[in-house]
Amino acid sequence: MKAGFESAAREALGDSQLRRNMARATTTIRARRAAAVAEVEDWEELREAGAAIKAAVMASLPRQLERLERAVEERGGRVHWARDGAEANAIVTDLARAHGAGEVLKVKSITTDEIELNQALAAAGIRAHETDFAELVNQLAGDWSSHILVPAIHRNRSEIRLLFEDTIAAGRRLDEDPVALAAAARGHLRELFLRVPFAVSGANFAVAETGSVAVVESEGNGRMCTTLPEVLVTVMGIEKVLPEWRDLEVFLQLLPRSATGERMNPYTSIWSGVHAGDGPREFHLVLLDNGRTDVLADELGRAALHCIRCSACLNVCPVYSRVGGHAYGSVYPGPIGAVLTPQLRGLPQAPTLPWASSLCGACLEACPVKIDIPTMLVHLRGRVRREVGAPRGERAALAAAFRVLSDRGRYERAQRLRRLGRGALAQLLAAPWSRSRELPEPPPQTFREWWDERG
Amino acid sequence: MSGEPRAALLVTCFNDTLFPDVGRATVTVLERLGCEVAFPAAQTCCGQMHGNSGAHEEGLALAARAVRVFAEEPAVVCPSASCVGWLRETAPRLAAEAGEDDLVAGLEQLGGRLFELTEFLCDHLGVEDVGAFFPHRVAYHPTCHSLRGLKLGERPLRLLRAVGGLDLAEVDDEDCCGFGGTFAVKNADVSTAMLADKMAAVRATGAEVCTAVDSSCLMQIGGGLGRARAGVRTMHLAEILACER
Amino acid sequence: MSAASTARAEILRRATAAIGAAGAEPVTVPRRYRSAGGLGPEGRVDLFCERAADYRARVHRFAAAELDAALAARCEELRARRLVAAPAAPWRPGGAEVEVDDPPLAAARLDQLDGVLSGCAVAIAETGTVVLDGSPLCGRRALTLVPDLHLCVVAAANVVETVPEAVAALAPAVAAGAPLTFVSGPSATSDIELQRVDGVHGPRQLELFVVWY
Ligand code: SF4
């Protein structure tokens, strides 16, 4: 990450349009999720099961991946393994080239954003068309995703209208009504769906038992891309595998309600390899590591891989809902991004992210698979201090504070000198604090002085 | 109530040094309810600040100190939800990670005897009406550690509703006030943006006093309200419960 | 070793090393959630109709004998004159011209038709979902995707109450290699200020005919 979270967040806060868009969107979606969850009497039991299934997956990941590979290949698909983004991009690019594809269709997939597949394809002279409405908006605007699920959450309808009038609806005047904007996208994309025979998707889940891959979506672009083309390539992080078919009964309940606040999303496509006479004639599944096995090696950080990308933690996060996704400098924003990005990329690449939280716990409460993000943040803060280091002033202040706090005599002397109130730590804190808040006056007497006096 | 229940006060370094009235009020309430209050003077800090800032070794050393200081106490009362949350939930997990098995055991042992103030009053003593009188409109802000961490639920509200003369307003906003320890200074701008919304929600209640069970959050909210000359005071819940006719 | 087999071996090796001791302890999954609902057949169908309508599917309920007439009337209202039917979908609404997708029509041809007629494998009451399984009754996936109107006949006997019941009912089809599509209401996007807009790429109209056989 180039600039740290602090400065990126400060900049985002200065954008009042962004703040209004974000506040409005997150307020709406929070209420929707709350209602969809409240309706389910066994929600906690589903969360328990979801968390346990994910823990079971991680504990047996190599075996599940081998099972998945076997099942997909038995059903006519081909499985590829990629240690990093470059390998995955090369696999997809080679497949596109082998089929003479100059254009490819894309279904929204954060995993392919993570590895910057579109850029890699472009470098090979292959044009990727994003087909998800919001991804299309971002692609047309040269912008990047600010939300896992609603990637253009930072844009309002008039911004989208102006963008379309400059691009896919050049020369036309569009209505600002969302229906008209959606229709413009439909017209533009339908032609592509019927013409381009090569598509790339992500996956929400893949079942090791049956080799079934699931894509959960709303618009139907996922169905189009996984059904109409002749060749389908799915790029999937290795953590997405589920052991048994039955496990889907849990996640198909947890995901839509947590994500869009719907009882069920409009479309879920599930396919297993190649189906004669129905859908693509060739199916390739790319299993991507790209740092995931590093995350797996951290016992406390491992649960970040349990994430099903529902984005509930983003929506309820008081930090995310004010600064938006871009401040996190990653395709994974919000609370989950704050724990996943530093682990995937390595702590030195994103050392400020574990501090991008007030540890309020709203993310844990909302998470359908009960990822304890607050504790994980604290854990990663420790790792950053140990493995990367901390700013000098902060280190010195905490060391000084520890000296004082770890000894009663020093503590009481410092209190008497009011050093704890106005000492090293207070000095470090005073300036940024006082810009917007008053500092309390040190009281004339500490509690323990009062207690002693009272006898 | 049975006999003279003993309560050892874990006042927290924050209250001890900056908000002694919270400690005094806690003593007042507990004594009014017939408790024998002890204050083990060797106590300093529970280690939360260091731990949450990533200085785990120091944070755990301070937590171990608290375990030692309160080792003999049958019941420990603390007027800070975040310090209780640290000792009960976070510190044991970090200690386990660090392989400090004795500390894990010590913390778990302490955790079973450690009560946040409203837990002690409602669960341990089984009281709601503590005999307080406070004829003011009061907004209750559920702090993150009380709401989501310790899941105090209705306890603080039940205590407030039983206060004579008190006109209770709930703050229509469960978001964090923006304090978050070092977050408040490391990410001062985001913290301030969160505070602004919290202040608006508090002011919308028309309350004269904003109360909560964490002095740190009240310092944030009070610091903002003071700067804005909002005319709303902040008081710890214990301070309200200590008021009498 | 080729690059591909090296990548495979390395990922598996790294994953094995990463999980270390955790790999040895089996994790038990507590499945204390509801695996079935408690409603009777009538209640299930009522709930299904209510929930499907909630997501803006148009729901019609008929006895088997009335179905053809009802379909015909609805097609007339919607001005759906040229339809395609899944290979084993037996319904022929009078007044509409029905092509059968056998042999399969080209996607471009499907794009020109007014609507598609299919059955469904399972319907889920709690979520208002119909599930298509690629069988001759449901048709291949493109069939129910490209046309702008989807007329789907739901046999009341196929309505289950909960998601787990549906997943269980679909297990044999999946084991046999069937592709599935879960459909809950018409295609939609909420990407513009989170306002739900019906109809982006899939059928913009979903008409469900719930029938007691
Ligand atoms: S961490 Fe949990 S709440 Fe956040 S996106 Fe992942 S699954 Fe959803």
Side-chain angles (χ1 to χ4, degrees), chain B residues 145-206:
Chain B
H145 285 96
S146 62
L147 182 72
R148 289 177 282 267
L150 300 184
K151 300 198 173 18
L152 294 184
E154 285 280 305
R155 291 181 187 84
L157 295 169
R158 292 207 309 259
L159 291 161
L160 284 168
R161 283 192 200 107
V163 172
L166 189 144
D167 174 16
L168 180 63
E170 282 182 57
V171 181
D172 183 25
D173 170 16
E174 291 193 344
D175 266 14
C176 173
C177 68
F179 179 70
T182 42
F183 175 80
V185 286
K186 265 185 179 275
N187 284 290
D189 299 273
V190 188
S191 169
T192 301
M194 289 157 67
L195 173 59
D197 293 338
K198 182 57 65 182
M199 281 167 30
V202 169
R203 291 171 89 163
T205 62

Coordinates of all heavy atoms in Angstrom, one line a residue, chain B residues 145-206:
Chain B
H145 N -18.1 -2.2 23.9 CA -17.7 -3.3 24.7 C -18.8 -3.7 25.7 O -18.9 -4.9 26.0 CB -16.5 -2.9 25.6 CG -15.2 -3.0 24.7 ND1 -14.7 -1.8 24.2 CD2 -14.5 -4.0 24.3 CE1 -13.6 -2.2 23.4 NE2 -13.5 -3.5 23.5
S146 N -19.7 -2.8 26.0 CA -20.9 -3.2 26.8 C -21.9 -3.9 26.0 O -22.5 -4.9 26.4 CB -21.5 -2.0 27.6 OG -22.0 -1.1 26.6
L147 N -22.1 -3.4 24.8 CA -23.2 -3.9 23.9 C -22.8 -5.2 23.2 O -23.5 -6.2 23.3 CB -23.5 -2.8 22.9 CG -24.6 -3.1 21.9 CD1 -25.9 -3.0 22.6 CD2 -24.6 -2.1 20.7
R148 N -21.7 -5.2 22.5 CA -21.3 -6.3 21.7 C -20.3 -7.2 22.4 O -20.2 -8.4 22.1 CB -20.8 -5.9 20.3 CG -21.9 -5.3 19.4 CD -21.3 -4.8 18.1 NE -20.7 -3.5 18.3 CZ -21.3 -2.3 18.2 NH1 -22.6 -2.3 17.7 NH2 -20.7 -1.2 18.4
G149 N -19.4 -6.6 23.2 CA -18.4 -7.4 23.9 C -19.0 -8.2 25.0 O -19.1 -9.4 24.9
L150 N -19.4 -7.5 26.1 CA -19.9 -8.2 27.2 C -21.4 -8.6 27.1 O -21.9 -9.3 27.9 CB -19.7 -7.3 28.5 CG -18.3 -6.9 28.8 CD1 -18.3 -6.2 30.1 CD2 -17.4 -8.2 28.9
K151 N -22.0 -8.0 26.1 CA -23.5 -8.2 25.9 C -24.2 -7.9 27.2 O -25.0 -8.8 27.7 CB -23.7 -9.7 25.5 CG -23.1 -10.0 24.1 CD -23.7 -11.2 23.5 CE -23.2 -11.5 22.1 NZ -21.9 -10.9 21.6
L152 N -24.1 -6.7 27.7 CA -24.7 -6.3 28.9 C -26.2 -6.2 28.7 O -27.0 -6.2 29.7 CB -24.2 -5.0 29.5 CG -22.7 -5.0 29.9 CD1 -22.3 -3.7 30.5 CD2 -22.5 -6.1 31.0
G153 N -26.6 -6.0 27.5 CA -28.1 -6.0 27.2 C -28.8 -4.9 28.0 O -28.4 -3.8 28.0
E154 N -29.9 -5.4 28.6 CA -30.8 -4.4 29.3 C -30.2 -4.0 30.7 O -30.8 -3.1 31.3 CB -32.1 -5.1 29.5 CG -33.0 -5.2 28.3 CD -33.7 -3.9 28.0 OE1 -34.4 -3.4 28.9 OE2 -33.5 -3.3 26.9
R155 N -29.2 -4.6 31.2 CA -28.8 -4.4 32.6 C -28.6 -2.9 32.9 O -29.2 -2.4 33.8 CB -27.5 -5.1 32.9 CG -27.6 -6.6 33.0 CD -26.3 -7.2 33.4 NE -26.3 -8.7 33.3 CZ -26.1 -9.4 32.2 NH1 -25.9 -8.7 31.0 NH2 -26.1 -10.7 32.2
P156 N -27.8 -2.1 32.1 CA -27.7 -0.7 32.4 C -29.0 0.0 32.4 O -29.3 0.9 33.2 CB -26.7 -0.2 31.4 CG -26.0 -1.4 30.8 CD -27.0 -2.5 31.0
L157 N -29.8 -0.3 31.4 CA -31.1 0.3 31.3 C -32.0 0.0 32.5 O -32.8 0.9 33.0 CB -31.8 -0.1 30.0 CG -31.0 0.4 28.7 CD1 -31.6 -0.3 27.5 CD2 -31.1 1.9 28.6
R158 N -32.0 -1.2 32.9 CA -32.8 -1.6 34.1 C -32.4 -0.8 35.3 O -33.3 -0.3 36.1 CB -32.7 -3.1 34.4 CG -33.3 -4.0 33.3 CD -33.8 -5.3 33.8 NE -32.8 -6.0 34.6 CZ -32.0 -7.0 34.1 NH1 -32.2 -7.4 32.9 NH2 -31.2 -7.6 34.9
L159 N -31.1 -0.6 35.5 CA -30.6 0.2 36.6 C -31.1 1.7 36.5 O -31.5 2.3 37.4 CB -29.1 0.1 36.7 CG -28.6 -1.3 37.1 CD1 -27.1 -1.4 36.7 CD2 -28.8 -1.5 38.6
L160 N -31.0 2.2 35.3 CA -31.3 3.6 35.1 C -32.8 3.8 35.3 O -33.2 4.8 35.8 CB -30.9 4.0 33.7 CG -29.4 4.3 33.5 CD1 -29.0 4.5 32.0 CD2 -28.9 5.5 34.3
R161 N -33.6 2.9 34.8 CA -35.1 3.0 34.9 C -35.5 3.1 36.3 O -36.5 3.7 36.7 CB -35.8 1.9 34.1 CG -35.8 2.1 32.6 CD -36.8 1.1 32.0 NE -36.4 1.0 30.6 CZ -35.8 0.0 30.0 NH1 -35.6 -1.1 30.7 NH2 -35.5 0.0 28.7
A162 N -34.7 2.4 37.2 CA -35.1 2.4 38.6 C -34.6 3.6 39.4 O -34.9 3.8 40.6 CB -34.5 1.1 39.2
V163 N -33.9 4.5 38.7 CA -33.4 5.7 39.4 C -34.6 6.7 39.5 O -35.2 7.1 38.5 CB -32.2 6.3 38.6 CG1 -31.8 7.7 39.2 CG2 -31.1 5.4 38.6
G164 N -34.8 7.2 40.8 CA -35.8 8.2 41.0 C -35.7 9.4 40.2 O -34.6 10.0 40.1
G165 N -36.8 9.9 39.6 CA -36.7 11.2 38.9 C -36.1 11.2 37.5 O -36.1 12.1 36.8
L166 N -35.5 10.1 37.2 CA -34.7 10.0 35.9 C -35.6 9.8 34.7 O -36.4 9.0 34.7 CB -33.6 8.9 36.0 CG -32.6 8.9 34.9 CD1 -31.2 8.5 35.5 CD2 -32.9 8.0 33.8
D167 N -35.3 10.6 33.7 CA -36.1 10.6 32.5 C -35.1 10.0 31.4 O -34.2 10.6 31.0 CB -36.5 12.0 32.1 CG -37.2 12.1 30.8 OD1 -37.6 11.0 30.2 OD2 -37.3 13.2 30.2
L168 N -35.3 8.7 31.1 CA -34.3 8.0 30.3 C -34.6 8.1 28.8 O -35.7 8.0 28.3 CB -34.4 6.5 30.6 CG -33.4 5.6 29.9 CD1 -32.0 6.0 30.2 CD2 -33.7 4.1 30.2
A169 N -33.5 8.5 28.0 CA -33.6 8.5 26.6 C -32.6 7.6 26.0 O -31.4 7.6 26.5 CB -33.3 10.0 26.1
E170 N -33.0 6.8 25.1 CA -32.0 5.9 24.5 C -31.4 6.5 23.2 O -32.2 7.1 22.4 CB -32.6 4.5 24.1 CG -32.7 3.7 25.4 CD -33.3 2.3 25.1 OE1 -32.7 1.6 24.2 OE2 -34.3 2.0 25.7
V171 N -30.1 6.4 23.0 CA -29.5 7.0 21.8 C -29.8 6.2 20.6 O -29.5 5.0 20.6 CB -28.0 7.2 22.0 CG1 -27.3 7.8 20.8 CG2 -27.7 8.0 23.3
D172 N -30.4 6.8 19.6 CA -30.8 6.0 18.4 C -29.6 5.8 17.5 O -29.6 6.3 16.4 CB -32.0 6.7 17.7 CG -32.5 5.9 16.6 OD1 -32.3 4.7 16.6 OD2 -33.0 6.5 15.6
D173 N -28.6 5.1 17.9 CA -27.4 4.9 17.1 C -26.5 4.0 17.9 O -26.0 4.3 18.9 CB -26.7 6.3 16.9 CG -25.3 6.2 16.3 OD1 -25.0 5.1 15.8 OD2 -24.6 7.1 16.4
E174 N -26.3 2.8 17.3 CA -25.5 1.8 18.0 C -24.1 1.8 17.5 O -23.3 0.9 17.9 CB -26.1 0.4 17.9 CG -27.4 0.3 18.7 CD -27.9 -1.1 18.9 OE1 -27.4 -2.0 18.2 OE2 -28.7 -1.3 19.8
D175 N -23.7 2.7 16.6 CA -22.4 2.8 16.1 C -21.4 3.2 17.2 O -21.8 3.9 18.2 CB -22.3 3.8 15.0 CG -22.4 3.1 13.6 OD1 -22.9 2.0 13.6 OD2 -22.1 3.8 12.6
C176 N -20.2 2.9 17.0 CA -19.1 3.2 17.9 C -19.0 4.8 18.0 O -19.2 5.4 17.0 CB -17.8 2.6 17.4 SG -16.3 3.1 18.2
C177 N -18.6 5.3 19.2 CA -18.4 6.7 19.3 C -17.1 7.2 18.7 O -16.9 8.4 18.5 CB -18.4 7.1 20.8 SG -16.9 6.5 21.7
G178 N -16.2 6.3 18.3 CA -15.0 6.7 17.6 C -13.8 6.7 18.5 O -12.7 7.0 18.1
F179 N -14.0 6.2 19.8 CA -12.8 6.3 20.7 C -11.8 5.2 20.2 O -10.8 5.5 19.6 CB -13.2 6.1 22.1 CG -12.0 6.2 23.0 CD1 -11.3 7.3 23.2 CD2 -11.6 5.0 23.7 CE1 -10.2 7.3 24.0 CE2 -10.5 5.0 24.5 CZ -9.7 6.2 24.6
G180 N -12.0 4.0 20.6 CA -11.2 2.9 20.2 C -9.7 3.0 20.6 O -8.8 2.6 19.9
G181 N -9.4 3.6 21.7 CA -8.0 3.7 22.2 C -7.1 4.4 21.3 O -7.5 5.6 20.9
T182 N -6.0 3.8 20.9 CA -5.1 4.5 20.0 C -5.7 4.9 18.7 O -5.3 5.8 18.0 CB -3.9 3.7 19.7 OG1 -4.3 2.3 19.5 CG2 -2.9 3.7 20.9
F183 N -6.8 4.2 18.3 CA -7.6 4.6 17.1 C -7.9 6.1 17.1 O -7.8 6.8 16.1 CB -8.8 3.8 17.0 CG -9.7 4.1 15.8 CD1 -9.4 3.7 14.5 CD2 -10.8 4.9 16.0 CE1 -10.2 4.0 13.5 CE2 -11.7 5.2 14.9 CZ -11.4 4.8 13.7
A184 N -8.3 6.6 18.3 CA -8.8 8.0 18.4 C -7.7 9.0 18.0 O -8.0 10.1 17.6 CB -9.3 8.3 19.8
V185 N -6.4 8.6 18.1 CA -5.4 9.5 17.7 C -4.7 9.1 16.4 O -4.3 9.9 15.6 CB -4.3 9.7 18.8 CG1 -4.9 10.5 19.9 CG2 -3.8 8.4 19.4
K186 N -4.6 7.8 16.2 CA -3.9 7.3 15.0 C -4.8 7.7 13.8 O -4.3 8.0 12.7 CB -3.8 5.8 15.0 CG -2.4 5.3 15.5 CD -2.3 3.8 15.4 CE -1.0 3.3 15.8 NZ 0.0 3.3 14.7
N187 N -6.1 7.5 13.9 CA -7.0 7.8 12.9 C -8.0 8.9 13.4 O -9.2 8.8 13.4 CB -7.8 6.6 12.4 CG -7.0 5.7 11.6 OD1 -6.7 6.0 10.4 ND2 -6.6 4.5 12.1
A188 N -7.4 10.0 13.8 CA -8.1 11.1 14.5 C -9.3 11.6 13.6 O -10.3 11.9 14.1 CB -7.2 12.2 14.9
D189 N -9.1 11.6 12.3 CA -10.1 12.2 11.4 C -11.3 11.3 11.3 O -12.5 11.8 11.4 CB -9.6 12.5 10.0 CG -8.4 13.5 10.1 OD1 -8.7 14.7 10.1 OD2 -7.3 13.0 10.2
V190 N -11.1 10.0 11.2 CA -12.2 9.1 11.1 C -12.9 9.1 12.5 O -14.1 9.1 12.6 CB -11.7 7.6 10.8 CG1 -12.9 6.7 10.5 CG2 -10.8 7.6 9.6
S191 N -12.1 9.0 13.5 CA -12.6 9.0 14.9 C -13.5 10.2 15.1 O -14.6 10.1 15.7 CB -11.5 9.0 15.9 OG -11.9 9.3 17.2
T192 N -13.1 11.4 14.6 CA -13.9 12.6 14.8 C -15.2 12.6 13.9 O -16.2 13.0 14.4 CB -13.0 13.8 14.3 OG1 -11.9 13.8 15.1 CG2 -13.8 15.1 14.5
A193 N -15.1 11.9 12.8 CA -16.3 11.8 12.0 C -17.3 10.9 12.7 O -18.5 11.2 12.6 CB -16.0 11.2 10.6
M194 N -16.8 9.9 13.3 CA -17.7 9.0 14.0 C -18.3 9.7 15.2 O -19.5 9.6 15.5 CB -17.0 7.7 14.5 CG -16.6 6.8 13.3 SD -15.3 5.7 13.6 CE -15.9 4.6 14.9
L195 N -17.5 10.5 15.9 CA -17.9 11.2 17.1 C -19.0 12.3 16.7 O -20.0 12.4 17.4 CB -16.7 12.0 17.7 CG -17.0 13.0 18.8 CD1 -17.7 12.3 20.0 CD2 -15.7 13.6 19.3
A196 N -18.8 12.9 15.5 CA -19.8 13.9 15.1 C -21.2 13.3 15.0 O -22.2 13.9 15.5 CB -19.4 14.5 13.8
D197 N -21.3 12.1 14.4 CA -22.6 11.5 14.3 C -23.1 11.1 15.7 O -24.3 11.1 15.9 CB -22.5 10.2 13.4 CG -22.2 10.6 11.9 OD1 -22.5 11.8 11.6 OD2 -21.7 9.8 11.2
K198 N -22.2 10.6 16.5 CA -22.7 10.2 17.8 C -23.2 11.4 18.6 O -24.2 11.3 19.3 CB -21.5 9.5 18.6 CG -21.8 9.0 20.0 CD -22.9 8.0 20.0 CE -22.6 6.7 19.3 NZ -23.7 5.8 19.3
M199 N -22.5 12.5 18.5 CA -22.9 13.7 19.2 C -24.3 14.2 18.7 O -25.1 14.6 19.5 CB -21.9 14.8 19.0 CG -20.7 14.7 19.9 SD -19.3 15.7 19.6 CE -19.9 17.2 18.9
A200 N -24.5 14.1 17.4 CA -25.8 14.5 16.8 C -26.9 13.6 17.4 O -28.0 14.1 17.8 CB -25.7 14.4 15.3
A201 N -26.6 12.3 17.5 CA -27.6 11.4 18.1 C -27.9 11.7 19.5 O -29.0 11.6 20.0 CB -27.2 9.9 17.9
V202 N -26.8 12.0 20.3 CA -27.0 12.3 21.7 C -27.8 13.6 21.8 O -28.8 13.7 22.6 CB -25.6 12.5 22.4 CG1 -25.8 13.1 23.8 CG2 -24.9 11.1 22.5
R203 N -27.5 14.6 21.0 CA -28.2 15.9 21.1 C -29.6 15.8 20.7 O -30.5 16.4 21.3 CB -27.4 16.9 20.3 CG -26.1 17.3 20.9 CD -25.3 18.1 19.9 NE -25.5 19.6 20.2 CZ -24.7 20.5 19.7 NH1 -23.7 20.2 19.0 NH2 -25.0 21.8 19.9
A204 N -29.9 14.8 19.8 CA -31.3 14.7 19.3 C -32.2 14.2 20.4 O -33.4 14.3 20.3 CB -31.3 13.7 18.1
T205 N -31.6 13.6 21.5 CA -32.4 13.1 22.5 C -32.9 14.2 23.5 O -33.8 14.0 24.3 CB -31.7 12.1 23.4 OG1 -30.6 12.8 24.1 CG2 -31.2 10.9 22.7
G206 N -32.3 15.3 23.4 CA -32.6 16.5 24.2 C -32.2 16.2 25.7 O -32.7 16.9 26.6

